[in-house]
Amino acid sequence: MPEGPSVRKFHHLVSPFVGQQVVKTGGSSKKLNPASFQSLWLQDTQVHGKKLFLRFDPDEETRSPGNNSLPELLQKGERKEEAGDQKQTLGPDNQKISDQSSWSLELVHSGDTGSEYLGEDSPAGGAERWLQVSFGLFGSIWVNEFSRAKKANKRGDWRDPIPRLVLHFGGGSFLAFYNCQMSWSSSPVVNPTSDILSEKFHRGQALEALGQEQPVCYTLLDQRYFSGLGNIIKNEALYRAGIHPLSLGSLLSPRQLEILVDHVVEFSTDWLQGKFQGRQNHTQIYQKEQCPSGHQVMKEAFGPPDGFQRLTWWCPQCQPRLPPREPEQVQLS
């Protein structure tokens, strides 16, 4: 699924529409009735980690919409969907599952026009005025155009993706949301101290979490401490820090943990800047067969025994595994 830098970009795509009224709707969502957005005003947007929050109100409020200009590179929407981790992974009972959550599939059959509404959520009329958007694998937002099929499906059909929600605004502009889960809430769930792209990101809290007696590759994906961090950032930060994915945080030195957090923030920030500058995200280990030093890369699914297993790439030579700590011997007098 899209990681923090991608969702931050989605936030920039949506922000220019703040202060505008929805004049027409569409989409295939079964949980939220697209028609319920009719005539609502988009009043605010916030982003936290991998989640986007949009505030809608039935009445226009007097406020400055701010800078409504889109960065030139983003004016034509999402040009390249985030490939993410497309391989199957192992679930808690060694059951193969997709790297995306089951909700993100929410498949739309070929005969579905998107007119049937099966959800119970209400429009933002009462206290619940914030729409929470969580993106699945290949989730994206397009501005003023729709996503088009890049290849034929298994049946040989060239079928364009169907958006979950389409919001049309005045002047012919519109937003199209793809492969996402949406729900109403009374307020955005935002904790800047855990957001890896926030200026308020709390390094001390992150370092304390990493120091636990569990593999660091588990902790890095814990959104309570590293909100916005996904499988790509995990793999890249570990490689650049020279740390084996299964290294116990309690065995790593404070300096090693500091370096790992540095690479998390540095890679994430560079990825985000690249999105606005038109630069391709440059990975050194993720989905590679060889590391930059020419060593053979290993690949395996790692994760907590009771959680999802995520495909992990690492170099055994550049990221040697730490030996287990020797038990302390008690000398008898």
Side-chain angles (χ1 to χ4, degrees), residues 8 71 106 200 262 307:
R8 289 260 171 173
E106 200 177 322
K200 298 181 179 179
D262 286 342

Side-chain angles (χ1 to χ4, degrees), residues 26-30 34 81 104-115 137-140 142 145-149 153 155 158-166 175-180 182:
S28 64
S29 175
K30 297 297 186 296
E81 296 172 328
S104 67
L105 293 175
E106 200 177 322
L107 296 177
V108 180
H109 298 290
S110 57
D112 190 348
T113 62
S115 60
L137 192 67
F138 303 118
S140 62
W142 288 62
E145 64 176 334
F146 294 104
S147 176
R148 301 301 180 189
N153 58 26
R155 297 188 301 271
W158 284 78
R159 182 166 170 265
D160 292 334
I162 301 176
R164 298 287 166 80
L165 178 67
V166 182
L175 293 168
F177 297 76
Y178 289 89
N179 198 12
C180 55
M182 297 171 288

Side-chain angles (χ1 to χ4, degrees), residues 23-281:
V23 298
K24 182 182 175 183
T25 65
S28 64
S29 175
K30 297 297 186 296
K31 185 174 182 180
L32 295 180
N33 184 1
S36 66
F37 291 86
Q38 184 73 35
S39 300
L40 295 182
W41 294 81
L42 177 59
Q43 298 290 9
D44 196 6
T45 66
Q46 293 191 32
V47 62
H48 176 66
K50 300 179 183 180
K51 295 181 179 180
L52 181 66
F53 298 90
L54 310 176
R55 185 191 172 199
F56 289 90
D57 195 279
D59 302 313
E60 181 181 12
E61 295 180 0
T62 303
R63 56 167 296 166
S64 172
N67 181 11
N68 283 357
S69 61
L70 277 172
E72 181 179 354
L73 292 171
L74 300 183
Q75 288 180 350
K76 295 188 177 180
E78 177 73 8
R79 288 301 188 186
K80 183 175 182 180
E81 296 172 328
E82 298 296 330
D85 187 351
Q86 302 179 51
K87 307 295 183 181
Q88 285 188 319
T89 55
L90 302 177
D93 299 319
N94 288 333
Q95 178 183 5
K96 286 190 175 182
I97 60 172
S98 171
D99 196 43
Q100 57 195 356
S101 304
S102 58
W103 56 259
S104 67
L105 293 175
E106 200 177 322
L107 296 177
V108 180
H109 298 290
S110 57
D112 190 348
T113 62
S115 60
E116 182 183 9
Y117 168 56
L118 303 178
E120 298 179 356
D121 286 320
S122 60
E128 297 184 340
R129 294 180 174 179
W130 286 92
L131 181 71
Q132 176 179 299
V133 184
S134 302
F135 297 90
L137 192 67
F138 303 118
S140 62
I141 296 178
W142 288 62
V143 177
N144 299 336
E145 64 176 334
F146 294 104
S147 176
R148 301 301 180 189
K150 296 178 176 60
K151 61 181 180 179
N153 58 26
K154 293 181 179 180
R155 297 188 301 271
D157 301 327
W158 284 78
R159 182 166 170 265
D160 292 334
I162 301 176
R164 298 287 166 80
L165 178 67
V166 182
L167 300 177
H168 295 266
F169 299 87
S173 60
F174 65 88
L175 293 168
F177 297 76
Y178 289 89
N179 198 12
C180 55
Q181 182 191 46
M182 297 171 288
S183 61
W184 291 109
S185 63
S186 57
S187 62
V189 182
V190 176
N191 180 16
T193 60
S194 66
D195 192 326
I196 59 175
L197 285 169
S198 171
E199 294 180 353
K200 298 181 179 179
F201 176 61
H202 198 300
R203 290 178 59 92
Q205 176 180 279
L207 290 168
E208 183 179 356
L210 282 172
Q212 301 177 72
E213 194 172 353
Q214 72 170 3
V216 288
C217 69
Y218 300 178
T219 308
L220 285 173
L221 292 177
D222 192 330
Q223 300 299 295
R224 294 176 299 174
Y225 310 110
F226 296 94
S227 183
L229 193 152
N231 212 31
I232 297 177
I233 298 174
K234 177 201 78 175
N235 282 279
E236 291 299 313
L238 285 170
Y239 173 74
R240 294 162 196 238
I243 296 175
H244 191 283
L246 293 180
S247 296
L248 299 182
S250 56
L251 297 182
L252 296 173
S253 68
R255 178 58 180 160
Q256 286 176 301
L257 297 178
E258 287 274 5
I259 291 174
L260 179 55
V261 174
D262 286 342
H263 282 293
V264 165
V265 175
E266 180 181 333
F267 180 80
S268 304
T269 303
D270 184 68
W271 188 2
L272 177 61
Q273 292 176 346
K275 285 183 172 294
F276 291 99
Q277 297 171 1
R279 289 188 285 110
Q280 184 74 20
N281 180 32

